[in-house]
Amino acid sequence: MKAICYAIGLFFAALGFDIAGAQSVTLYTAGPANLATGMAGAFTGKTGIKVDVYQATSGDVLARLEAERNKPRADVVVLASWGEGLAVRDRGLVDSYSSPETKKLRREWVDNGGLAAQGGAALAMILNNDQVKKEQQPQSWFDLASPFWKDALTMPDPTLSGSAAEFIAIFAQVHGQKAWKLFEDLARNGMLVPGPNNAALNPVLSGAKKGTISGVDYISYGQIAKGERLTIHYPKEGTVVALRPVFVQKDAPHREEGRKLVDFMLSEEGQGLVTKSFLIPARLDIRAQRPTPGEFTMLAPDWDYVKKNQTQLVQRFRKEIVEQIIQRR
C-alpha cells in the first residue's frame, strides 16, 4: 500500500502538482447542503482552491467547533442563527476579519467583530393547502390555540435547530409571558416537536398535519417550486428572521484561503447562489426570489438579550413544554 501511495505521489509530482502545498479550505455549515456544495464548486472554479464541506445541524456544528477548540480544523463556518454567531464570537472562536464586501450588505446584517450574514430566512407558518383554505389561515400566532388546530401542528425542535432556537428567544423577548402561555396552549392542543426542520415539515407535506410553526421558509419555497401544495404565511404581528452568520474561525489552519471564501460568499456571484436557495440575500443590490423584510413584518431582536438568554430559554422550552406537556400527553 505504501508503494502505491508513493507511486501516486511520484505521478502527481511529475505532472507538476505540489500535493503538500495544495490550496484548500474547510467549510463547516448548518446551511442547506445544495447551497454549500454549489458555493464550494463555484469558488473552486474561480480560484482553484478546493473546499471540503461538512454540513450538519447547528447543534452538531457547534459541538464540533467546541471539541476542536484547541486545534481548529474548520476555516470558515456558517451557522443557522445570529445569536449562535454572537455566542461563539464571545467565546473567542471568531477571527476579526471583515470582508470588503460587507459594505454592500444590509447594515444590520454585519457585526464589527467578524460576523456577516450570508443570508436570512423568515420563520413562518407553513400550511398544507389541502388542509387549510385561505379563509382558515390564522391572522395571529395566538389564533393557533383554537380547536381548528388541535393535533394539527408541528414545530422544529429548538435543541436541534438553530433557527427554531432563535425563534424561541426573540418571540419570548417580544411577547414575554404571553409567548410562554402560547407555547403551553399549543402543546396541550396536540402540537408535536418531532426533530429538526425537515422532520417538522414532512408531516405537513404528506397531509398528516395542517401546518408547522417557526419553519424556515426557504425550504418550503423550494418545495413549492417543485410543485408541493404549501402556503407560507406570515402572521400580522410579524415573525423572526434568522440571519445565517458566516465567519473565518480564529486560528484557522488556512486563514487566507478562508478569507477568500468569505469574500466570495458575500460577493455578487456568491449572493446570486444564495437567492437560488430561496434565502434572503444579505446584499441590497441582489434581487431576492421571495419576500423580504418590508413585504412582511420582521420582529425586532434585542441581540444582547438573545445572546444572554437563548440557551436558557431553549432549555426552559425543552423542560416545560416538551418534557412536562408533550411527552406526558
Side-chain angles (χ1 to χ4, degrees):
M1 185 66 182
K2 290 182 179 179
I4 294 174
C5 292
Y6 179 70
I8 292 173
L10 289 178
F11 173 75
F12 281 104
L15 292 178
F17 289 100
D18 179 5
I19 297 175
Q23 289 184 307
S24 66
V25 63
T26 297
L27 169 65
Y28 287 4
T29 177
N34 62 336
L35 174 59
T37 55
M39 194 75 73
F43 176 72
T44 300
K46 191 177 185 71
T47 66
I49 300 172
K50 180 184 175 183
V51 182
D52 296 315
V53 178
Y54 171 73
Q55 192 274 337
T57 65
S58 292
D60 288 339
V61 171
L62 290 169
R64 181 169 282 208
L65 290 178
E66 192 61 37
E68 297 170 354
R69 180 168 187 157
N70 294 328
K71 191 176 181 181
R73 296 181 63 185
D75 299 298
V76 176
V77 180
V78 178
L79 298 175
S81 84
W82 195 253
E84 292 174 342
L86 293 174
V88 297
R89 184 203 66 186
D90 287 355
R91 295 207 307 273
L93 299 180
V94 176
D95 185 78
S96 61
Y97 177 67
S98 179
S99 169
E101 299 290 345
T102 59
K103 297 176 182 178
K104 300 289 184 68
L105 305 191
R106 301 170 192 269
R107 182 172 53 84
E108 65 276 17
W109 291 27
V110 179
D111 167 76
N112 292 331
L115 302 177
Q118 182 194 43
L123 307 182
M125 297 179 187
I126 315 298
L127 308 175
N128 182 295
N129 287 353
D130 296 324
Q131 301 288 333
V132 183
K133 307 304 179 188
K134 186 173 182 179
E135 61 273 15
Q136 295 171 316
Q137 294 175 7
Q139 294 301 305
S140 166
W141 291 106
F142 299 93
D143 293 340
L144 294 173
S146 69
F148 178 78
W149 299 99
K150 183 170 177 57
D151 299 325
L153 293 173
T154 66
M155 178 180 175
D157 187 337
T159 65
L160 300 173
S161 165
S163 56
E166 194 145 287
F167 179 86
I168 294 291
I170 296 175
F171 202 78
Q173 169 225 314
V174 172
H175 294 291
Q177 189 53 38
K178 189 178 178 183
W180 291 102
K181 177 64 164 56
L182 175 63
F183 297 150
E184 291 175 9
D185 289 345
L186 294 176
R188 297 188 191 283
N189 207 31
M191 182 179 74
L192 296 179
V193 181
N197 291 289
N198 283 329
L201 180 60
N202 286 337
V204 183
L205 286 169
S206 70
K209 297 293 180 181
K210 293 177 181 177
T212 187
I213 68 168
S214 79
V216 282
D217 62 354
Y218 76 88
I219 295 177
S220 295
Y221 281 117
Q223 296 285 359
I224 291 169
K226 295 176 182 178
E228 295 289 352
R229 291 181 50 76
L230 298 174
T231 292
I232 300 169
H233 185 61
Y234 306 102
K236 63 182 182 181
E237 304 97 340
T239 192
V240 173
V241 173
L243 307 184
R244 312 182 77 86
V246 57
F247 59 90
V248 177
Q249 187 172 199
K250 189 174 182 181
D251 300 323
H254 306 99
R255 185 176 65 177
E256 294 307 315
E257 289 82 1
R259 290 178 172 184
K260 291 177 183 178
L261 177 57
V262 170
D263 291 346
F264 181 77
M265 287 182 174
L266 302 178
S267 71
E268 186 174 349
E269 183 177 351
Q271 289 286 290
L273 296 173
V274 168
T275 65
K276 290 181 180 180
S277 292
F278 298 100
L279 288 161
I280 303 168
R283 287 177 71 110
L284 289 167
D285 58 348
I286 299 294
R287 183 177 178 85
Q289 298 185 21
R290 38 76 46 76
T292 59
E295 297 174 81
F296 62 86
T297 301
M298 174 181 169
L299 295 179
D302 177 341
W303 290 118
D304 287 338
Y305 174 91
V306 172
K307 179 180 65 174
K308 181 179 178 180
N309 295 288
Q310 181 167 300
T311 299
Q312 292 83 356
L313 292 170
V314 168
Q315 291 172 347
R316 178 181 175 183
F317 184 90
R318 182 70 195 176
K319 182 177 180 180
E320 296 183 10
I321 306 303
V322 176
E323 295 177 5
Q324 294 187 9
I325 301 177
I326 294 176
Q327 294 180 352
R328 295 186 180 185
R329 286 198 302 252

